[in-house]
Each structure stands twice: as structure tokens, then as C-alpha cells.
Amino acid sequence: MSTFLGIPTAPGGVGHLRGSEAFPVAARRGLADAQLRQNLGNATATIRAKRAAVVGEVPDWEALRDAGQAAKADAMLRLDRLLEQLEARVTEGGGVVHWARDAAEANRIVTGLVQATGATEVVKVKSMVTDEIGLNDALAEAGIAAHETDLAELIVQLGHDRPSHILVPAIHRNRQEIREIFLREMPDADPALTDEPAALAEAARLHLRRRFLSARVGISGANFAVAETGTLCVVESEGNGRMCLTLPETLITVMGIEKVVPTWADLGVFLQLLPRSSTGERMNPYTSMWTGVTPGDGPQQFHLVLLDNGRTAALADPTGRQALHCIRCSACLNVCPVYERTGGHAYGSVYPGPIGAILSPQLTGVEANASLPYASSLCGACYEVCPVKIDIPSVLVHLRARHVDALRDRPLPGAEQIAMAAASWVMASPGRFAAAQRMGRLGRVLARKGRIRRLPPPLSAWTAARDAPVPPAGTFRQWWRDEHGDAS
Ligand code: SF4
């Protein structure tokens, strides 16, 4: 694997979590896109301010965060039993539970269920996990059209694009771009459509209403599942999700196994933490919950697909398993200086930003997304805002260590290992270290206006992205000798 200052630059990944390019390469393109940076800067600044205002209203916010963290940690410790409890309660309620080891198995199950209804179209609630497994492509291969109904997901789908944010998948698009997409891709769009938000929302509403009324199958993800009652929960802002969850005859929910919470009391904590951290609202406009099926009310067939796809491997890592606590609020993205400048596409993963940098490598295996744990300045802003107190910086460092440990097993050492071995040899001897310091002072001849802007290869890799400090005229040892006599 090629590296730049130890950061992998070769592509890696598996399935839909695969980045076609490694982060450092893809990030450069995002950094060069001034429009993208402006769209992202405006959007994240607005969401950050809203979040800060509503979080500031809650006197026991820190206690709520502690409660959320404790509930998630407890759920992970007994995940197997909670999932069996969930399965039993859903089955008692008239639903059918399916278990999927990986993306291929989940896609096979969902495709088979849709085919059994005879439907050739489905409507979808915004769902990251179905993006993770590439469900839309799998359905298309089987001749089934999947229509996204969340406004932002609809924009992404019509624009033949990829989501770039957990909560606002089309955050990289501005109003003018959305208007152009609608006019180009919606046959029923009014040619006089303006880029006013209300006009764009109305165009989407008219377009989607026809889909809802004809759909026989709805597909959703789930924000939470309550083990004690078998209740599924989806939160959203538009009401389109509720249409998907209630109008079709058949509802298929695909859920990562980490979404289970033990009790309704736990759910109460998360329903307070999530809206304030994500949309900056006091509560979600639409919170839909259902338990099995109810005769004469809503879908009469309900299937729950429980997906592993790398989650049990993450669970086996005592440090890394924190990533499974995530409630997908996106607060960490909105405060991340790296995300704000590169955008979500640079991560090459369904899960962008700080959470993507710790979750995706664990779902695929660290080597398959090895550049992502380095996509951070480790400033800690993500940890401060995370509503369930995931210590993202510590997990990033832990995953970097796992990556470095894996490289140690290679038959031939890489450039970084050779450099570290040389540094270790130099620092092991006071004489060699003093000689290296004297040699380092030669670098002063490269200084211009108090900086070294360019070093010769291989050190040029360092100055390609930053200036190097100018070595001081005298070493610490010389200063000590001058001040105190002989250093020994
Ligand atoms: S890691 Fe924390 S802040 Fe980031 S999306 Fe998940 S819950 Fe939200």
C-alpha cells in the first residue's frame, strides 16, 4: 500500500463502504471546489448555531449525555440477548424477523420479499443502512425501481449523485443546483419553477404524492428498536417517512443490529438527545413507532431484517466498539474542520465525517479503509458535541495503531518503518543524537524569511503541505554548556 507521511494514499474498501480513492486524494478535489466549500460552510455554520442554542436550554444536558452513553454501553454488553428478545416480541406482534450476515444476504432477502409481493416499484424512507448495503442497485438488478422519498435523498437520487452528509445528504447542493436537477429529471416539473425553497418543496411534494399513493411496498431503516416491546422507531422532519411507513401494504425495515435499545425508558433519553444534536430542534417533527402489524391499520405485512455486515467484528474490539453507540445525529460532522473543508464525498464511505472515519474502517476491516482514521486533526470537537460521548479521537488513534501494527507483518519494511528504525538508532545514543542535531543545523541554509518552504526528497513530502521550522542556531546542549558549564 502506498503512503504519504504514513497516511495510506491507495484506494481501499469493500462493497458500498469502499472508497474508489483514498481520503488524501479525494480530499484534494473537495478542497479545490470553491462552490462546495461555500455550500458546506454556510450549511454547517447554520446547523451549529441552532444546535448550540437548543442544547444550551437543557440544564441537565451533560447528565442526559451520560445516560445515553451508559444505555448504549449496556446494550452492547448484552446485544445477543436483546436481539433475541426483540425478535420474540416482533414475531408475537405479527412481524417476521430475518437475519443477514452481510450486504449480499440482506439484499437477497429484501429483493425476495419484494418479488413475492409482485411489486416492481418501492418507496423508501431515508436510510443509511440501505445505502451501506447498496440496496437500490440490488433492487434495480432485479427489475425493481426504488424511489427515495426524503427530499434530500430525492435530490441526490435525481442528480445521480451520492449523499455527502448523514442528516442532509444533499448539503453540497445549493438552491440553484437543485432547481436545475428538478427541471432536468422530473418530467412533471413546471418549467417556470423558481429556486425559492417553498417552490422546490412543492415540486417535490407533487412528484412524490403520486409515488406514495401507488406504492405497495415501503422500505425503511430504523433509528431505534425497543427490545422489551418489539417496537421500531423512525424519526424524521418531513412526514414523507410516515407516508412510507403507513400507506403500503408491505413494510420492510432493514436495521443494523446495534440500533436495539433495552427499554422505553432508554428510548426516552435518545429522543431528547437526537433532535437537539441533529436538526437543532427540541423534538422531532415526526416520530413514528410501530409494533408488529395491526389489522385494518397500516401495513399488513411487516418484515424486519437485522443486519450484521461487520458489526460483530467491531463489537469484539473493546475500544472500537464505541462506534456502534452512534445515533447518527451528525453533530460531529458539523463541527469537524476537516469535513467542512473536504465535504462528505472525500470519505468514499456512506458514513462521512468523524463517525465515518471510525465506523467504516471497522465495518470493512481497517486495511480496507486505512486512510480514514488519519482524516482528522484530533482537535476533539467531535467528542465535545457527541450526544452519547463517543471518544472519537481515542478511537481514531486506536485504529491508526491497528493499521500500523498490521503493516509490521509485511515481509519487507516500508519507508516509514525504515525511517522510524533509523530515528530509533540515532536517539539510542547521546553521541549520535548530538551529531544529528549538528547536521540538522545545516537546514538553516534553506531558510527564507524565517521559514523553510521546501526540503529535498524524501523530506519534500513534509513540505508539500506545510512549512518546516528553521533549526535554531545553537543546540540545547550548547546553550546548557554556555550557561552551566559541562553538560555531563
Ligand atoms: S458519533 Fe456522536 S456526534 Fe457523530 S453522528 Fe454519531 S452520535 Fe452524532
Side-chain angles (χ1 to χ4, degrees), residues 166 325-333 355 382 385-388 390 392:
I166 288 178
H325 295 188
C326 175
I327 58 173
R328 310 281 189 269
C329 72
S330 77
C332 57
L333 279 68
I355 179 59
C382 48
V385 296
C386 179
V388 286
I390 299 174
I392 296 175

Side-chain angles (χ1 to χ4, degrees), residues 154-175:
L154 176 70
I155 294 164
V156 167
Q157 187 177 43
L158 292 178
H160 309 287
D161 202 353
R162 285 181 296 130
S164 66
H165 189 276
I166 288 178
L167 187 71
V168 198
I171 197 169
H172 54 290
R173 298 288 193 187
N174 61 25
R175 286 164 23 186

